[in-house]
């Protein structure tokens, strides 16, 4: 059973490395996109909240400016998009992507192993490997 375990773990690591390596190319562009979007949405949020403050109190408490009051009359609330962008993962590897690939990679080994070892043991091993 230990030989099968070592073989399955080794194969799983190879498959996951081959799966993850190409996806890692997207991490830097996604990170740059996330940073730039958060900066833009942060500036828009500042304008939105200053406009809301001006509408509520008539003036801005800090740095009240007549030109700013004329400049930004209608600014959309960026809160929902800001939260969505903040939750954006720059790594495309997650459990939802890894489990199906791992199951497909381990299925042939599980079938062969079940001819030599009781199915319960093979199933327990595959289950452990998929829950890593």
């Amino acid at each position: 059973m230990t030989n099968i375990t070592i073989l399955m773990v080794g194969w799983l690591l190879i498959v996951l490395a081959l799966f993850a390596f190409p996806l890692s190319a997207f991490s830097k562009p996604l990170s740059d996109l996330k940073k730039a979007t958060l900066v833009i949405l942060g500036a828009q949020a500042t304008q939105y909240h200053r406009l809301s403050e001006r509408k509520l109190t008539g003036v801005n408490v800090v740095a009240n400016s007549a030109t700013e009051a004329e400049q930004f009359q209608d600014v959309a609330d960026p809160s929902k998009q800001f939260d969505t962008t903040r939750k954006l993962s720059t790594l495309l590897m997650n459990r939802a992507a890894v489990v199906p690939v791992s199951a497909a990679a381990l299925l042939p080994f599980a079938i062969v192993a079940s001819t030599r070892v009781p199915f319960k043991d093979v199933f327990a091993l595959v289950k452990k490997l998929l829950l890593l």
Side-chain angles (χ1 to χ4, degrees), residues 88-103:
L88 174 71
S89 174
T90 58
L91 297 175
L92 297 176
M93 291 293 296
N94 59 20
R95 187 177 203 89
V98 169
V99 170
V101 172
S102 299

Side-chain angles (χ1 to χ4, degrees), residues 54-68:
R54 199 175 309 112
K55 283 182 181 178
L56 184 64
T57 62
V59 295
N60 289 113
V61 176
V62 177
N64 190 26
S65 144
T67 58
E68 183 184 18

